[in-house]
Amino acid sequence: MFYPEHRFDLSTRSWADNERALLAAVGGPSESMALIHEGSDGIVVPRSYQQGRPNFQTACEILSGEGLAVHVRLSGGGVVPQAAGVINLHLGYTADTPNPLPAAEAHYQALCDLLSELLRHFGIAATAQAVEGSFCDGRFNLAVNGRKIAGTAQHWQRDKSAENRYRVLSHAVILAADPHLLTDRANRFEAAIGSTVRYRADKTASISELSGASGTEVAARLRRLLGHNFS
């Protein structure tokens, strides 16, 4: 079931609160929710940046003055720049397991398989791998010739309805925007918080660059794919 995109409202709720609302909308073990939306100018970071970086608020003010809103998400990872052409996928569902840590890898792999299938529709063969030098790097990136084209993250929340049940937010960012623009935004945020970390644009790829497809086309194809897989 698709979660209405208009209910992901950053004018009245934070990014994290929108994700909590998505998880709350999951009715039970037989129901899953999917939200697909295209990014707008900004940066999304995990809560660890807000909680562990003394310059976080100053950085938010600096970026806001440049027209880049900074949002905090539930899932882990690193800095994810947003722009038109950045497609955000949020999957909400439940999972029964006594321990989410060993279970998480299978959920990552399932999401990577879904993203790989999406990319094949655009003639792109991608593999799950870390890409050193890319923003928000991780083992479960999707990469093409050593360049990141999609990233994934998760958030597990205990569900009180049953023992050993969790509500899972499985998140993906699919890139159909200019890698140089996105990398520059990520680097500007790192500089604003006083970090020496810098990312490389040549470590990131774009579906638009490789296939000519726009972010709108990617989102529409992803929606059709999800409708087929979860109907």
Side-chain angles (χ1 to χ4, degrees), residues 109-231:
Q109 190 58 59
L111 181 56
C112 286
D113 290 345
L114 174 69
L115 298 177
S116 295
E117 184 176 351
L118 169 70
L119 293 170
R120 282 196 293 271
H121 284 284
F122 296 98
I124 298 171
T127 56
Q129 65 181 89
V131 180
E132 185 177 358
S134 66
F135 53 79
C136 198
D137 186 25
R139 285 197 300 134
F140 295 99
N141 297 322
L142 267 290
V144 180
N145 296 324
R147 300 169 66 200
K148 175 177 178 173
I149 198 167
T152 62
Q154 291 179 21
H155 170 72
W156 290 62
Q157 172 185 299
R158 191 176 294 277
D159 188 331
K160 297 179 181 178
S161 67
E163 186 178 3
N164 297 330
R165 178 166 295 162
Y166 292 83
R167 289 178 181 249
V168 183
L169 175 68
S170 196
H171 179 67
V173 176
I174 306 156
L175 306 179
D178 179 9
H180 293 275
L181 170 71
L182 297 179
T183 303
D184 177 67
R185 289 184 175 179
N187 284 336
R188 282 156 68 188
F189 179 79
E190 293 286 4
I193 61 172
S195 166
T196 59
V197 173
R198 297 294 183 270
Y199 309 107
R200 292 173 48 182
D202 64 346
K203 293 296 185 179
T204 304
S206 165
I207 294 178
S208 295
E209 169 195 356
L210 297 178
S211 72
S214 67
T216 300
E217 292 173 286
V218 174
R221 183 62 65 92
L222 178 58
R223 188 174 284 272
R224 288 195 294 271
L225 179 60
L226 285 169
H228 173 73
N229 284 0
F230 292 98
S231 60

Side-chain angles (χ1 to χ4, degrees), residues 14-46:
S14 70
W15 190 285
D17 283 344
N18 277 286
E19 292 177 327
R20 291 187 185 97
L22 172 68
L23 286 177
V26 177
S30 62
E31 184 178 75
S32 61
M33 304 294 290
L35 169 68
I36 302 166
H37 64 101
E38 191 166 356
S40 57
D41 294 336
I43 303 286
V44 182
V45 299

